[in-house]
Amino acid sequence: MKHYQEINLLRSTLIVLVILIHIVHFGALYPELKEAILAFMMPSFLVITGYLVNIDKSLKAFAGYLFQILLPYLILTTAYSLLSLYLPVREGLSECSLTALLEKVFVSSIGPYWFFYVMFLCAIAYYTAFRLPFPKISSPTRMMIFGSLLVLMSFFIPLMGIKTTVYYFFGTLLRQSGKAFSKFFFPTPFAALPFFGLITFVGARDWGSIEVFGAVIAFISFSNWICRFIPARLSPLVAFLGMNTLPIYLFHSVFTMAGKFYLSYFEWDTSGIFFTFTTLLLSIFGSLAIAFLLDRTHLSIIFGRKRFLR
């Protein structure tokens, strides 16, 4: 699918926000701002992910797509879980046992990698619903089957709650409708009013609320409007970041966790702004550097990919 500049800008913005809320020092200094970002950030990411998933693939090709989600999830969730024994990670392992580790990997997840867990299972349900061998089933009916599968999963899999998967479902619904991304999320500066109103003044935080759903739509529409004003010289950078959010998402935790080791050098920075900006840059460029080295040494295959960078 064509990567529109609007989507690239949105993904670039969201990946910066992902890093931001995983900087522990930033969250400690600005807890209310962190909560506000969390209210719309991942729901927006799920909408984009659902919209971009291509189910018009053979079973073998789609299985390859699933494998490229599952393998990094297993590797990094296991590593993150083991590191949580020694680093201050919320809801980390309290004991070093196989049972506790398996629970983190296959049931509750840990750190930022729950997103891949949800992606993986949503994609399976989506593909299954549209590949059922009944040619007379219409697309709307298949969407209802897909939705039913998500509801069924929500009864048995904690991370697959309806409040989460509804955003992925919404993205796939837009894709199946054939409606252009910028046509639904109409670019307008006025979208900023409901977005900031719902997040700031209403205090919308519950992903299952209509307020957060509206804030997500307004955020994406406002981002599409901002996209019109990106200088031509910055367009390649936005496109590059937008198409390479995967390695940044996978590896940024290395640098956000490392922040605790140099935090003492920023004691003069009482606002935390300089520390946060430094960690953001290190996380983005460090993650891309890891991806570059893995590609150059052909070690990206460890994560089930020929290469990371696009």
Side-chain angles (χ1 to χ4, degrees):
M1 184 181 183
K2 182 180 177 179
H3 286 270
Y4 295 102
Q5 187 73 340
E6 293 95 337
I7 295 178
N8 287 328
L9 174 63
L10 184 60
R11 283 157 58 103
S12 300
T13 303
L14 290 172
I15 198 63
V16 169
L17 293 177
V18 165
I19 299 170
L20 190 64
I21 60 98
H22 287 131
I23 299 174
V24 176
H25 187 55
F26 170 82
L29 289 174
Y30 305 101
E32 293 183 3
L33 179 56
K34 177 181 176 179
E35 289 301 316
I37 294 171
L38 283 169
F40 68 91
M41 180 188 70
M42 294 315 296
S44 299
F45 235 136
L46 284 165
V47 170
I48 297 302
T49 302
Y51 184 81
L52 292 177
V53 172
N54 179 14
I55 56 169
D56 296 324
K57 294 181 177 181
S58 66
L59 179 60
K60 180 179 180 181
F62 200 76
Y65 164 75
L66 293 174
F67 183 68
Q68 290 178 342
I69 298 172
L70 180 62
L71 187 58
Y73 171 78
L74 293 175
I75 293 172
L76 293 174
T77 304
T78 300
Y80 199 89
S81 298
L82 294 175
L83 281 173
S84 72
L85 290 167
Y86 309 100
L87 295 173
V89 175
R90 187 177 62 180
E91 299 178 356
L93 287 178
S94 57
E95 60 174 311
C96 186
S97 69
L98 181 59
T99 301
L101 178 61
L102 292 176
E103 192 277 334
K104 289 298 181 187
V105 174
F106 294 105
V107 180
S108 63
S109 195
I110 188 174
Y113 303 114
W114 66 268
F115 184 74
F116 294 94
Y117 187 109
V118 172
M119 276 180 63
F120 179 77
L121 292 180
C122 281
I124 290 177
Y126 185 26
Y127 192 81
T128 299
F130 276 81
R131 289 293 175 167
L132 287 172
F134 301 108
K136 292 185 179 181
I137 297 180
S138 64
S139 181
T141 302
R142 290 183 183 274
M143 284 303 299
M144 286 190 281
I145 294 172
F146 173 38
S148 299
L149 289 174
L150 294 181
V151 172
L152 184 62
M153 286 180 177
S154 71
F155 288 114
F156 303 101
I157 307 173
L159 285 176
M160 295 294 289
I162 295 301
K163 289 182 180 182
T164 300
T165 58
V166 67
Y167 293 97
Y168 186 100
F169 180 83
F170 182 59
T172 63
L173 184 63
L174 291 179
R175 177 69 176 266
Q176 290 300 319
S177 72
K179 198 170 185 65
F181 185 77
S182 60
K183 293 294 183 181
F184 182 85
F185 299 106
F186 184 74
T188 172
F190 297 107
L193 298 176
F195 170 67
F196 287 110
L198 290 167
I199 294 298
T200 304
F201 299 107
V202 175
R205 298 291 183 270
D206 184 358
W207 289 5
S209 68
I210 191 66
E211 291 87 356
V212 167
F213 197 86
V216 167
I217 293 175
F219 170 71
I220 298 176
S221 294
F222 183 61
S223 174
N224 285 351
W225 178 75
I226 291 292
C227 185
R228 297 180 172 188
F229 302 96
I230 297 176
R233 63 181 180 278
L234 292 181
S235 292
L237 176 61
V238 171
F240 179 77
L241 287 178
M243 290 189 290
N244 290 288
T245 54
L246 175 65
I248 299 174
Y249 200 108
L250 288 176
F251 303 127
H252 77 274
S253 295
V254 174
F255 302 95
T256 54
M257 287 192 294
K260 63 170 290 188
F261 297 109
Y262 58 81
L263 178 58
S264 60
Y265 295 103
F266 287 84
E267 290 180 351
W268 53 271
D269 179 22
T270 56
S271 68
I273 293 175
F274 292 97
F275 171 81
T276 299
F277 185 68
T278 299
T279 306
L280 275 173
L281 290 180
L282 285 175
S283 298
I284 293 171
F285 290 106
S287 298
L288 292 173
I290 290 174
F292 175 78
L293 289 174
L294 289 172
D295 287 349
R296 291 286 297 209
T297 57
H298 305 291
L299 292 177
S300 301
I301 195 67
I302 295 173
F303 294 92
R305 311 182 70 87
K306 290 183 178 180
R307 60 185 297 107
F308 273 110
L309 298 180
R310 294 189 290 171

